Amino acid sequence: METRVQTIYIVRHGERLDCVDKTWAERHGERAFDSPLTDEGKRQATAVGQAFKSKTPDIRHVISSPFLRCLQTAMCIAGVFDFQSVGVSNGLCELLNPSCDVTRDPILPIPNLESHNVAINESGIHMPLPEFPEEAFDAYRRYQAAFSLAGEKHWPNNLVLVSHGIGVQRALSLGLHHMEAYNVSYCGYVALQRDSKIGPWTYVASEGVDYASFY
């Protein structure tokens, strides 16, 4: 019997505009936490999508955090595979904590996604938005659940999951036990694989992720 293997790429979003334009957040009031990408961020996202396609050409779905910077990253990656839309999952969202510039319960995703050229499909994983404020330990459990649920829903298809730096950190620790990522670059990623629908994830590769043993 042929062994089936599922690959998932967990990738951080591209460069965010509020880190380049320091006035962006103050000009956007209630949505100051939900910055879009810069043009460079879109270029980064397209480039990492091309890298995924060269390694794993049979990606079937791209699923994103509901934050705009992630949805735009996901659409750039989806475009490399000629997909017209992406899935969305609250399970992949940012740590809902003031330390991540989220200061209250956010409304996600942004209501007028069409104006940002984002189209949503039904491939996403239905998970509730975390309660604010969220602790890092709870977010780690949430990310782990999101990875597993996405893999189970789409088994044995290969996936790209677009999240945030802390989500990529969790992916690394799932695949490389006793290792901890301390820096994740824009569009840095971790690739994980498993050979059964509910089996453990194993580390395959990473790019743009600095890590070390925590022992």
Side-chain angles (χ1 to χ4, degrees):
M1 180 183 299
E2 182 181 0
T3 301
R4 294 189 293 183
V5 175
Q6 181 181 51
T7 301
I8 64 168
Y9 292 94
I10 301 93
V11 58
R12 187 188 178 197
H13 56 79
E15 181 181 68
R16 47 191 288 183
L17 181 58
D18 61 346
C19 289
V20 175
D21 179 356
K22 299 302 183 181
T23 69
W24 188 91
E26 64 186 54
R27 290 187 285 107
H28 287 80
E30 293 184 351
R31 298 212 66 84
F33 64 89
D34 200 19
S35 170
L37 295 182
T38 62
D39 288 341
E40 172 63 13
K42 293 176 183 178
R43 187 201 66 77
Q44 292 166 343
T46 298
V48 80
Q50 292 168 340
F52 295 158
K53 189 171 185 179
S54 69
K55 300 173 188 292
T56 311
D58 57 344
I59 296 288
R60 294 295 183 86
H61 301 285
V62 181
I63 302 173
S64 174
S65 156
F67 280 70
L68 180 58
R69 55 189 177 270
C70 293
L71 288 165
Q72 290 182 315
T73 300
M75 287 298 295
C76 291
I77 294 171
V80 173
F81 292 91
D82 295 324
F83 301 157
Q84 303 303 310
S85 57
V86 299
V88 63
S89 176
N90 290 331
L92 298 172
C93 81
E94 178 66 282
L95 171 66
L96 297 190
N97 190 286
S99 65
C100 295
D101 300 322
V102 182
T103 57
R104 59 182 179 79
D105 290 313
I107 298 173
L108 293 166
I110 190 171
N112 56 333
L113 285 175
E114 296 83 1
S115 67
H116 295 277
N117 298 314
V118 174
I120 303 299
N121 61 38
E122 295 300 316
S123 66
I125 309 302
H126 297 291
M127 295 178 67
L129 195 68
E131 292 186 8
F132 177 88
E134 182 183 29
E135 298 300 325
F137 177 76
D138 295 320
Y140 284 150
R141 292 192 299 180
R142 165 169 60 81
Y143 291 125
Q144 183 173 347
F147 304 158
S148 292
L149 289 170
E152 290 169 20
K153 177 175 180 177
H154 297 293
W155 170 263
N157 295 321
N158 301 320
L159 311 172
V160 174
L161 307 181
V162 183
S163 188
H164 304 262
I166 187 173
V168 179
Q169 289 175 329
R170 182 55 178 148
L172 182 100
S173 65
L174 283 175
L176 289 179
H177 305 299
H178 312 310
M179 290 290 179
E180 184 173 345
Y182 57 87
N183 181 64
V184 180
S185 301
Y186 288 128
C187 287
Y189 68 86
V190 169
L192 302 176
Q193 285 184 341
R194 63 181 177 184
D195 58 10
S196 68
K197 188 174 182 179
I198 58 173
W201 296 106
T202 59
Y203 173 86
V204 178
S206 60
E207 187 72 35
V209 180
D210 299 321
Y211 59 91
S213 171
F214 56 76
Y215 284 119

